[in-house]
Amino acid sequence: ARSLGLSRIVGGVIGLVYLGAIARYLYPKGGSDTPPLKVALAATGVTPDGAAEIAFKNGVAGPFYYPTTVDKSVVVGVFVAKKDKNGPLTAANLRVPEQTCTHLGCPVAYNADADQYQCPCHGSIFNRNLSVHNGPAGQPLYEHEFTMDEKTNTLTILKRKA
């Protein structure tokens, strides 16, 4: 009985270590080693570094893929979205939502007709401002930090906001 209890404890610890490693891989925090991604902005859409232009649909462009580690082994999808879909291309009117659903990590899609981000896995729906419209997700979509050079209309996407 004693060895059975000890083996359960050891098995539980090993299981937690594996779960922690898997969670870290699937949900990187985007620490200080997150490489920046340059994106050119135009009235018609965005052009990620080395890619073709992705058109704005109702003020949202994407998703496109962003490596969040220096070795580019972990990649997440992101959008560039105007807060006011008819507003200007300024830092104050932009946000960079992550494509990862906050429920279980499935990639969300932007539905321009409904003006919502929708998760195909379990039905979560997020409003344009990234808040939850309909669960099961309980948290808003993640957002990435960025800087903007308004002279060159270049966005530099940085790590996920804390």
Side-chain angles (χ1 to χ4, degrees):
R2 182 176 180 188
S3 64
L4 180 61
L6 184 59
S7 65
R8 285 184 178 166
I9 291 171
V10 170
V13 168
I14 291 171
L16 286 173
V17 168
Y18 277 111
L19 283 174
I22 290 168
R24 178 72 177 131
Y25 175 77
L26 292 175
Y27 306 102
K29 288 187 177 182
S32 61
D33 63 344
T34 300
L37 176 68
K38 297 226 182 262
V39 177
L41 299 171
T44 55
V46 301
T47 306
D49 200 16
E53 182 177 88
I54 300 168
F56 279 117
K57 293 178 184 166
N58 206 16
V60 176
F64 53 92
Y65 301 98
Y66 171 43
T68 60
T69 57
V70 174
D71 67 1
K72 300 183 180 183
S73 63
V74 179
V75 178
V76 297
V78 293
F79 300 88
V80 171
K82 293 180 178 181
K83 294 175 184 175
D84 172 359
K85 60 188 164 196
N86 299 313
L89 286 174
T90 61
N93 191 44
L94 294 174
R95 65 170 43 106
V96 180
E98 188 173 309
Q99 189 184 19
T100 308
C101 180
T102 56
H103 174 232
L104 290 177
C106 291
V108 300
Y110 177 69
N111 180 330
D113 293 332
D115 198 20
Q116 297 173 321
Y117 299 90
Q118 300 173 343
C119 182
C121 294
H122 302 106
S124 291
I125 298 173
F126 301 88
N127 297 311
R128 182 179 197 88
N129 68 3
L130 312 184
S131 65
V132 177
H133 178 77
N134 188 44
Q139 299 294 318
L141 286 176
Y142 302 116
E143 204 171 336
H144 282 254
E145 295 175 4
F146 66 89
T147 60
M148 181 174 178
D149 182 338
E150 292 188 14
K151 291 180 184 175
T152 63
N153 268 358
T154 303
L155 203 64
T156 302
I157 300 172
L158 306 168
K159 65 184 179 180
R160 182 189 288 173
K161 288 183 176 181

